[in-house]
Amino acid sequence: MEKAALWTDGRYYLQAENQLGLEWTLMRGGSVGVPSYSEWLRDNLSDPPRWCGGAQANLVSQRDSTHFCRSQLD
């Protein structure tokens, strides 16, 4: 694994800091300068894409995931 990132909001910053390994980057959702998950994926995918991702379905809309997947195919 080359890069790993976790997006969370302020309720879980402390827990994430304590539990994530050094290979992970904590993305403090809603903070200034923090990219959205789709921006980060777009900027960090290899070309051609070779990646694995996971998302909590009730937090990532079908519209967002469809938009992201289509933008990668263009």
Side-chain angles (χ1 to χ4, degrees):
M1 176 169 53
E2 292 179 23
K3 295 182 182 182
L6 172 78
W7 279 258
T8 189
D9 61 32
R11 296 173 293 170
Y12 301 105
Y13 291 167
L14 185 58
Q15 180 180 357
E17 287 171 353
N18 290 328
Q19 292 184 318
L20 290 177
L22 296 176
E23 68 275 9
W24 285 85
T25 300
L26 174 58
M27 299 295 191
R28 296 171 182 266
S31 297
V32 174
V34 175
S36 69
Y37 63 87
S38 58
E39 291 168 331
W40 187 88
L41 287 170
R42 181 194 64 227
D43 294 342
N44 288 279
L45 288 177
S46 54
D47 187 26
R50 280 187 11 193
W51 55 278
C52 172
Q56 190 170 343
N58 63 335
L59 298 177
V60 178
S61 71
Q62 181 178 3
R63 180 186 60 88
D64 285 349
S65 33
T66 301
H67 172 74
F68 176 75
C69 290
R70 285 188 180 148
S71 69
Q72 295 308 305
L73 297 173
D74 293 339

